[in-house]
Amino acid sequence: LCVKDNRLSFLDIDEVCEEIGINRHIIRFTSTVRFDDPGPAVKTAEKLKGLLTEKLQGWSITISDGNISVESVLIKVEGEDDSTKNIYVSWTNQDEDLGSYILGLLQSMVQ
Amino acid sequence: LVAPPAPARAAPLHWSSPDVEALVRALAREGVGSARVEAGAEGEGGSIVHLPRHDTLVHVEPHATHVFCEGRPDVRQALRRALAACLPHV
């Protein structure tokens, strides 16, 4: 919430940076989890979305082309149909709590 | 596993870009040493910091830093503290 043109306005963080003339520096972390789940990668992604929906109640979780998004956390599944999948989990520093929770959840799932 | 986080927590906002030599020193202070630095791809700028002992790679660009790491929380927290020490933030 800020004052802009003598009016109170809601701005997102990128708009605030532009208004005050600073170059935001984005920090992003990516880690990989290997998951033995035969079948198409998109099916694995759907299973993961189901798990996240169950565990992260109150959060908006979307899936598009097999890529799952929760805030800045992106989860991408890659791998051939009959092989182990690589699950890439990536998040910005702002979403460290959420990103590390999801990574820990996936790591515990494959152990 | 801990409980899921609550939504909408405040987090630091960083700006500018880190000095790579200062970042390597900050990493060493955090116990993440043995860094090897190389220039990024020609025309793209930036630097790549390899941390082979921790199976970690840090790609530093003018407006973004991307850390590829194994997923150990202690290493990630050390990286976060080192980056925070090299970047102005609120």
Side-chain angles (χ1 to χ4, degrees), chain A residues 25-26 28 30 93-94 97, chain B residues 9 12 65-67 77 80:
Chain A
H25 192 90
I26 306 288
R28 180 168 278 278
T30 297
N93 197 42
Q94 272 68 31
D97 289 350
Chain B
R9 287 192 57 181
T65 294
H66 199 156
V67 178
Q77 296 312 324
R80 294 179 80 221

Side-chain angles (χ1 to χ4, degrees), chain B residues 15-82:
Chain B
W15 67 91
S16 186
S17 59
D19 177 85
V20 173
E21 289 182 15
L23 176 60
V24 169
R25 288 195 297 273
L27 286 168
R29 281 198 298 275
E30 292 290 343
V32 184
S34 303
R36 196 175 75 240
V37 180
E38 66 179 64
E42 196 171 334
E44 290 182 12
S47 301
I48 298 168
V49 180
H50 294 262
L51 300 161
R53 271 194 206 168
H54 302 279
D55 199 15
T56 294
L57 190 149
V58 184
H59 190 182
V60 183
E61 295 180 299
H63 301 297
T65 294
H66 199 156
V67 178
F68 300 86
C69 57
E70 198 183 1
R72 274 178 48 191
D74 57 333
V75 174
R76 193 170 60 249
Q77 296 312 324
L79 286 157
R80 294 179 80 221
R81 287 192 297 269

Side-chain angles (χ1 to χ4, degrees), chain A residues 1 3 20 22 27 31 39 51 63 66 81 86:
Chain A
L1 185 66
V3 178
I20 60 179
I22 61 173
I27 300 171
S31 293
L51 173 71
I63 186 166
D81 283 7
N86 284 322

